[in-house]
Amino acid sequence: MKKLFSVLLVLTVALSLFAGGSSESTSGDGPLKISLYYSDNATLPFRDDWLTVKTIEERFNVDLEFEIIPIADYQTKVSLALNTYNNAPDVILYQSITGENASLALNGAIVPISDYSEWTPNFNARVEEFGLEDEVEALNLSDGKRYSLPGLFDVPFYDGGLILRKDLLEEYGLEVPTTFDEFYEVLKVFKEHNPDSYPLTILVGPRVLYRFTMPSFGISLGKNSSSGSYVLSWDYENEEYFAGAISEEYKTYITYMHKLYAEGLLDPEMADPIDDTRFTNKMATGMSMATWAYYDQLGGIENASSIEGFDLDMYPALEGPAGAHSQPKTKTANGIIFPAKTAESKNFEQIVRKIDEIFFSEEAAEIWCLGVEGVTYDIVDGEVVYKEELQNDERGVYKAMQQEYGCGSDVTQMVWVNKREMTKYDERYSEINAQVEAMGDVIQNTPPTPSFNDLDAETVNSLMTPLADTWERWNDAFLTGAKSIETDWDAYVAEMKNLGIDQMLELYNANL
């Protein structure tokens, strides 16, 4: 009897393990229940009846129990869950392993999912398909382990860039500028024909202009710096940080911007936040004719204008001293983490395998992006054709798909295929993206984030705030001419060095 019991026990365990490795593992006992945190955005409010959610649940035999948390409170809620351990859900969406999460991961609060790579075959396949092995490996922390399943992009989208009055280019006989020097000449012609105008304006604040234009000068600084360091920039050739805020590259950049400002080519209100209404009004009335903004804003500006023949277009990045670049983007985005508590669940392997399947399999990826064939789209001659009601929706296909069906949500869509995404936009947008892709590395990778220990992180944070404030003050003074770039530059550099920019640089490079 003892032998028989032992044999039955071994068979039971073996069968349960076998079941845990199968995508149909819960078909006999009903759907596998998985609790998830979801970051909710007011522009894309979550709906539990979304076609994407219901279809995923039905096709993959899973019951997704979303806890919907406003985006403003999300990180606080996540932090509390990871710190208190027992209150965590099975899965947390829309997370990166930086800052506090990195520290929590190293202290055992998050599962090192790279230890279970055999349970994530679909994720592994997408990484290999997109050639993202190096980018994914770069997400490893100082212990050599990766703690997330990040979102994956085959090609970053060129969703925003230089926007110009196409009708005025044609009226004044101007070629489309391809360099910052040519752009300067275009602005001068705009000004000559419209003396009361300020040809170049900004969206929201100077940080948007800076993040789009600085990369062509070899830097990324300020509130929206690609590294998040504010005053350091990434040297793509040597693969290390440098003190961008006191570099010759920055000096060249701010000299160019000061020239635009001094000649009345740059909106003098740019130092103040410019809300959407004021921004749209400036462009729609002809007070400004050029800006850096996002493609989906063109329609709203054109509809707000009463100028006959008013026509805006978006163009590829302009070439500067460092080449033609736009704001850097990552091919790995916020993704999925598993709290340590999940590893104690008897269904741990099933949960990981199921999450891999419902977010990274090719079938699931198409659902999160396109919806369901026959409901949101049809395949005609091998091409995706959206339903007529979507094509006629005033919000546009992309936004209508998001809001009505949950397609294209940053929180749930983990696989982004450029060609597939372009089907949601008009032909011109697809043309621009194809043109940018053909130009090469217009969209550079986001710089790697150093893995600081708690002490170094505290030191960096204490240095960054005064350095950032000082850079903002001097940058505004250089831009407007309140300080001379030629005669006051050395004093500025000395102040930044006195505040510890070299120490901060050393810490960044030492912890890569």
Side-chain angles (χ1 to χ4, degrees), residues 294-312:
Y294 293 91
Y295 187 81
D296 58 10
Q297 293 172 300
L298 267 64
I301 298 172
E302 289 176 338
N303 291 335
S305 180
S306 59
I307 299 173
E308 186 176 353
F310 187 95
D311 189 10
L312 289 176

Side-chain angles (χ1 to χ4, degrees), residues 7-66:
V7 169
L8 289 173
L9 180 61
V10 169
L11 285 172
T12 301
V13 171
L15 287 170
S16 67
L17 288 173
F18 177 78
S22 169
S23 62
E24 300 299 324
S25 59
T26 59
S27 59
D29 301 319
L32 177 66
K33 293 183 183 295
I34 303 177
S35 59
L36 310 93
Y37 276 0
Y38 182 99
S39 176
D40 200 35
N41 192 322
T43 64
L44 181 57
F46 179 86
R47 283 169 34 186
D48 57 12
D49 65 344
W50 269 341
L51 175 69
T52 48
V53 174
K54 291 303 180 186
T55 303
I56 290 291
E57 288 183 323
E58 291 168 5
R59 290 195 187 179
F60 295 95
N61 195 30
V62 62
D63 180 5
L64 301 176
E65 300 176 337
F66 290 100

Side-chain angles (χ1 to χ4, degrees), residues 125-257:
R126 298 290 83 74
V127 170
E128 183 178 354
E129 179 186 351
F130 295 167
L132 298 179
E133 291 88 347
D134 290 344
E135 285 83 354
V136 170
E137 185 178 356
L139 299 175
N140 292 350
L141 295 185
S142 56
D143 60 355
K145 299 177 184 289
R146 175 172 44 79
Y147 289 81
S148 72
L149 296 175
L152 305 172
F153 291 78
D154 67 338
V155 179
F157 306 148
Y158 186 72
D159 55 353
L162 173 63
I163 292 174
L164 290 173
R165 286 278 300 277
K166 181 180 178 181
D167 57 316
L168 292 185
L169 290 176
E170 295 172 353
E171 181 180 341
Y172 303 150
L174 298 171
E175 296 290 330
V176 175
T178 59
T179 69
F180 276 90
D181 288 340
E182 292 174 0
F183 179 63
Y184 167 68
E185 297 298 332
V186 166
L187 293 180
K188 286 204 301 182
V189 174
F190 282 175
K191 182 78 172 182
E192 289 169 5
H193 285 84
N194 304 273
D196 295 333
S197 70
Y198 293 102
L200 175 60
T201 192
I202 61 164
L203 172 69
V204 182
R207 59 188 174 85
V208 177
L209 176 66
Y210 295 156
R211 76 173 181 231
F212 274 120
T213 58
M214 281 184 172
S216 290
F217 289 76
I219 52 173
S220 182
L221 304 167
K223 190 173 184 178
N224 285 148
S225 63
S226 58
S227 67
S229 67
Y230 221 109
V231 295
L232 305 181
S233 294
W234 181 249
D235 183 334
Y236 284 87
E237 182 176 352
N238 295 311
E239 297 188 339
E240 63 181 10
Y241 280 96
F242 67 99
I246 57 174
S247 66
E248 286 299 312
E249 289 89 342
Y250 168 60
K251 188 175 183 180
T252 300
Y253 178 82
I254 197 60
T255 298
Y256 178 87
M257 286 297 171

